[in-house]
Amino acid sequence: MVSKKDPTAWLDNAFFEKVLRQALSDKAITVEDFFISLNNDSSTQYASTIYRATVSYWIKGKVDHIALVIKLISSKVNQLADANSFQNELNLYRNYISRMEDLLAQAGYSDLHLAPRLIYASTEPQPVMILEDVTHNHYELYKSSMNFDDAKVVTEKLARFHAASFCLLKDISNKIPDDLFSGLFKAKPNQGVKFMEENFGIFAEEIAKWEGFEHYAEKVGKLLPNFLQRGIEIYNPEIESASLKVLNHGDFHYNNMLVKFDSERSAILDVLFVDFQLSFWGTPAVDLYYLLYLVCNRETRDEHRQELIYHYHQKLTETLDKMGHIGTVPTLLDLNNDLLRAGFLEVVIVVCFIPFLFADYSAALNVFGETNDAKAYRRQLYCNPQYREILEPLLPYFLHKGFLD
């Protein structure tokens, strides 16, 4: 007997029949049986609860099976933010991703896919998105930061993604669609940005205690009053200084991609992107900084940073050319200038995101609160020796680049 508290109780035979009849354009489909399980990797579920379903159904006189991923909204921080995230991701799937794949196919990239296929979406009886379950095609979550060879595969796919978005939207008379003004930093900050701003202050307080780092603490502290405005300036899709504007994934983390390995599991062959809640139109510097810090491992970033940016630019211009783009293409120098102008985001990622890579997830679930224990745990993260090893050489780099001014 199904518990009344079961959040999936409404996912019944009638619901799956509705989904499959619409997806497969066959009103005669009947569901024989289905099985639902909660995705067992809860550490990757920030704004959604993810279930997997296997559905057996009758079609044209025989039984067939389909594997699905079901995304339901669940809030750990802010219900309003999560509701907006659902709409942002649904908009991307419905209006952009499939059209971008069509453009890439026309340019000769016929077997290239950017994301799992959207099969069904609705807001009733509650917001739900159903995607194809690509684990049956040997895609899986990547559980750690990447070496150089694997990062190159991801970088190439990102360049194709950006190029396709640019070509899709280049004929809109420089008017940015209203549905592409999302992203992390907005004039009305959500709870996540407020949380980051608070951590920025905690960080400044902590490094002030480190011998020889007082000057950096003072610099970081002076950035705090303009934290939100500096972020908004980077994410502003109408900023004139950007040499190129593309559709950014916006949360380009290894947790937000599915990879296919070679037969020996020694290298990545392909990657699909997932979780487009923070996607927005703007400078590609945003996704590139996420790539360097939240996809690449430290060795890759330290030793191959500029090579990856060069590789991205090569694949971007190659794709634009194959897609028939007519007009100026940003040079590699232009792209590096964009990265310099967005340098504050590099500081934000290092200060607000990197420490949590070393967090114990069961404890980290409680860090969002205002309790003294939550704040003490966050302070502790900044003193982690592994984090300090990454941070200490970066602070003079940030200073010399002008990112702390």
Side-chain angles (χ1 to χ4, degrees), residues 59-123:
I59 181 170
K60 300 187 188 325
K62 63 178 183 178
V63 175
D64 208 341
H65 309 274
I66 189 169
L68 306 170
V69 169
I70 303 169
K71 297 186 70 172
L72 304 179
I73 287 178
S74 70
S75 177
K76 293 186 178 69
V77 182
N78 180 293
Q79 184 61 46
L80 177 61
D82 291 343
N84 290 337
S85 297
F86 176 85
Q87 290 300 329
N88 292 341
E89 182 166 31
L90 181 55
N91 168 57
L92 260 289
Y93 270 110
R94 282 181 166 169
N95 298 328
Y96 298 98
I97 291 175
S98 61
R99 293 163 68 188
M100 287 158 57
E101 288 184 348
D102 288 344
L103 287 175
L104 287 164
Q106 292 168 20
Y109 303 104
S110 56
D111 295 325
L112 189 149
H113 295 283
L114 302 172
R117 182 168 60 96
L118 177 69
I119 290 176
Y120 177 87
S122 176
T123 57

Side-chain angles (χ1 to χ4, degrees), residues 7-268:
T8 67
W10 57 278
L11 300 172
D12 54 16
N13 277 39
F15 173 79
F16 285 115
E17 283 178 1
K18 180 180 179 181
V19 170
L20 295 179
R21 287 172 181 179
Q22 177 179 307
L24 302 176
S25 302
D26 188 337
K27 294 181 179 179
I29 287 175
T30 57
V31 169
E32 181 177 74
D33 198 7
F34 64 89
F35 174 76
I36 295 178
S37 62
L38 181 65
N39 184 52
N40 57 15
D41 193 351
S42 60
S43 65
T44 66
Q45 298 170 30
Y46 301 117
S48 302
T49 302
I50 299 174
Y51 296 87
R52 298 188 182 278
T54 302
V55 184
S56 303
Y57 61 98
W58 285 90
I59 181 170
K60 300 187 188 325
K62 63 178 183 178
V63 175
D64 208 341
H65 309 274
I66 189 169
L68 306 170
V69 169
I70 303 169
K71 297 186 70 172
L72 304 179
I73 287 178
S74 70
S75 177
K76 293 186 178 69
V77 182
N78 180 293
Q79 184 61 46
L80 177 61
D82 291 343
N84 290 337
S85 297
F86 176 85
Q87 290 300 329
N88 292 341
E89 182 166 31
L90 181 55
N91 168 57
L92 260 289
Y93 270 110
R94 282 181 166 169
N95 298 328
Y96 298 98
I97 291 175
S98 61
R99 293 163 68 188
M100 287 158 57
E101 288 184 348
D102 288 344
L103 287 175
L104 287 164
Q106 292 168 20
Y109 303 104
S110 56
D111 295 325
L112 189 149
H113 295 283
L114 302 172
R117 182 168 60 96
L118 177 69
I119 290 176
Y120 177 87
S122 176
T123 57
E124 297 295 336
Q126 70 180 78
V128 58
M129 237 181 289
I130 298 184
L131 307 168
E132 64 174 327
D133 187 347
V134 295
T135 59
H136 290 261
N137 294 325
H138 308 293
Y139 284 89
E140 60 188 86
L141 278 171
Y142 199 95
K143 308 247 183 204
S144 64
S145 52
M146 298 185 184
N147 63 32
F148 176 57
D149 289 334
D150 289 345
K152 280 185 73 176
V153 176
V154 174
T155 301
E156 180 172 328
K157 180 62 73 77
L158 180 65
R160 310 273 193 229
F161 181 93
H162 283 173
S165 72
F166 176 80
C167 288
L168 178 62
L169 295 170
K170 69 180 179 180
D171 295 325
I172 57 176
S173 303
N174 295 320
K175 175 175 169 50
I176 301 159
D178 291 339
D179 56 15
L180 289 182
F181 278 89
S182 46
L184 182 63
F185 280 94
K186 288 173 277 195
K188 186 177 180 181
N190 60 29
Q191 291 297 104
V193 172
K194 292 176 182 177
F195 176 77
M196 289 162 50
E197 187 173 15
E198 184 178 83
N199 286 342
F200 211 76
I202 292 174
F203 170 77
E205 293 170 6
E206 287 305 302
I207 63 171
K209 303 172 186 175
W210 302 354
E211 185 177 352
F213 286 82
E214 299 84 359
H215 179 55
Y216 297 111
E218 182 182 352
K219 284 278 192 180
V220 172
K222 288 181 178 178
L223 290 174
L224 196 56
N226 297 315
F227 179 86
L228 179 60
Q229 188 56 40
R230 292 282 292 269
I232 289 172
E233 288 171 2
I234 294 169
Y235 280 73
N236 180 4
E238 296 181 321
I239 189 169
E240 292 300 324
S241 59
S243 64
L244 179 71
K245 294 169 189 173
V246 299
L247 178 62
N248 281 262
H249 179 283
D251 192 14
F252 201 63
H253 190 292
Y254 62 75
N255 270 342
N256 288 336
M257 51 191 68
L258 300 167
V259 302
K260 178 184 284 189
F261 287 101
D262 64 11
S263 58
E264 297 178 353
R265 297 185 61 81
S266 60
I268 289 176

Side-chain angles (χ1 to χ4, degrees), residues 235-306:
Y235 280 73
N236 180 4
E238 296 181 321
I239 189 169
E240 292 300 324
S241 59
S243 64
L244 179 71
K245 294 169 189 173
V246 299
L247 178 62
N248 281 262
H249 179 283
D251 192 14
F252 201 63
H253 190 292
Y254 62 75
N255 270 342
N256 288 336
M257 51 191 68
L258 300 167
V259 302
K260 178 184 284 189
F261 287 101
D262 64 11
S263 58
E264 297 178 353
R265 297 185 61 81
S266 60
I268 289 176
L269 298 176
D270 191 29
V271 58
L272 298 174
F273 305 148
V274 297
D275 294 334
F276 297 94
Q277 292 98 336
L278 293 175
S279 296
F280 77 104
W281 184 250
T283 172
V286 172
D287 276 353
L288 288 172
Y289 273 133
Y290 273 79
L291 169 74
L292 290 171
Y293 283 94
L294 298 172
V295 175
C296 297
N297 60 28
R298 183 182 176 187
E299 180 183 0
T300 300
R301 180 174 61 253
D302 288 350
E303 298 185 10
H304 301 284
R305 177 188 181 111
Q306 291 308 128

